[in-house]
Amino acid sequence: MKIMKKKAFIFDLDGTILDTLTSIGYTVNLCLKQWGKQELPLENYKYYAGDGAYTLIERACAEVGITDTKSIEEIHQLYKSYFKTTCMYKVAPFPKMVETLNSLKDKGNKIAVFTNKDHENAIHLLNEIFGEHFFHEILGHCKEFEKKPCPDGAIYLANQLDTPISDCIYVGDTDTDMKTGKGAGMYTVGVTWGFRDREELEQFGADAIITCAEELLTFIE
């Protein structure tokens, strides 16, 4: 009888598990509009997001000519205030994601999330969509760990999941995710349904690239 080796899957959140692009773009555009600036196309936010809320705001502000640190910080605080109520706006799991995550768990594998979203916001969002305790571990941006691509959070999660690094698979949609997984010494899987394209994932050394959630199941066979 074939015995499958149990693994731990550590996922990025935005653009990997959940389609959050509209919520991010909508909220930043609310802030820019309040600042008397034009709203930016939703597609732009695929390239602004991924490196934390402050960097997101910094990139969007640069696009509309806001470059002074004081204004950027004020807009960042405004974004965080708005996002408490807009973080769920048109958010949904990517196709077959829920079923795939359940299959991974049913086969004895562990699943976790490591995101540059603020920790409390990440927990709230994932609990609302998946229910409490669906993931074995969740780690968002917090004072205890540097944000990605620093790999310390991913390594911490592997320890929490009691899984050797060699049995951990890091799954994400951006260069930041590939750098994180590689830095942690994990096998990296890039997904093409998220914020960035295949070329970026290839450029930053993804060990594998998949086009649909169900392909994740091939890594436990």
Side-chain angles (χ1 to χ4, degrees):
M1 182 177 69
K2 183 179 180 180
I3 300 176
M4 292 187 295
K5 191 173 186 179
K6 303 302 187 286
K7 296 180 181 294
F9 290 76
I10 301 175
F11 293 88
D12 171 52
L13 193 157
D14 298 300
T16 300
I17 293 175
L18 296 177
D19 185 354
T20 57
L21 184 64
T22 301
S23 68
I24 292 169
Y26 174 77
T27 308
V28 179
N29 280 339
L30 280 178
C31 299
L32 295 178
K33 188 176 180 180
Q34 185 165 325
W35 232 254
K37 299 295 183 178
Q38 75 271 21
E39 296 183 7
L40 296 170
L42 195 60
E43 191 73 11
N44 287 27
Y45 290 97
K46 288 184 176 181
Y47 300 93
Y48 302 157
D51 294 299
Y54 186 86
T55 302
L56 164 72
I57 297 302
E58 198 172 36
R59 289 167 176 167
C61 284
E63 190 73 22
V64 298
I66 300 173
T67 57
D68 64 288
T69 303
K70 183 175 183 294
S71 294
I72 292 170
E73 181 53 40
E74 288 178 5
I75 295 171
H76 175 227
Q77 293 303 320
L78 182 63
Y79 172 83
K80 292 202 305 184
S81 176
Y82 276 141
F83 207 59
K84 291 176 183 177
T85 56
T86 61
C87 65
M88 294 293 298
Y89 183 65
K90 295 188 177 181
V91 171
F94 285 102
K96 298 295 183 180
M97 183 56 67
V98 175
E99 296 89 335
T100 299
L101 293 175
N102 274 316
S103 291
L104 290 173
K105 291 172 65 179
D106 289 344
K107 295 177 187 298
N109 302 283
K110 297 174 183 177
I111 60 172
V113 173
F114 182 30
T115 174
N116 278 338
K117 249 182 172 50
D118 286 346
H119 183 67
E120 295 303 323
N121 182 259
I123 291 175
H124 170 71
L125 190 59
L126 292 168
N127 285 351
E128 284 291 317
I129 297 291
F130 296 96
E132 292 187 19
H133 311 301
F134 182 84
F135 293 93
H136 294 99
E137 295 285 342
I138 299 170
L139 180 61
H141 185 223
C142 56
K143 63 182 181 181
E144 286 81 11
F145 295 95
E146 289 186 42
K147 67 180 183 177
K148 299 184 293 184
C150 176
D152 292 352
I155 295 168
Y156 166 80
L157 286 173
N159 290 331
Q160 291 297 105
L161 297 170
D162 195 25
T163 305
I165 292 293
S166 59
D167 291 334
C168 291
I169 296 175
Y170 191 88
V171 186
D173 66 313
T174 70
D175 62 323
T176 297
D177 294 313
M178 298 305 100
K179 292 174 185 174
T180 302
K182 289 290 183 186
M186 297 176 182
Y187 188 87
T188 55
V189 176
V191 307
T192 60
W193 57 77
F195 291 172
R196 307 290 171 79
D197 56 26
R198 174 182 286 270
E199 287 72 25
E200 178 170 303
L201 299 170
E202 290 175 343
Q203 180 183 351
F204 287 91
D207 293 304
I209 297 176
I210 60 175
T211 59
C212 63
E214 300 98 310
E215 288 185 75
L216 288 165
L217 299 175
T218 65
F219 296 103
I220 61 173
E221 294 177 354

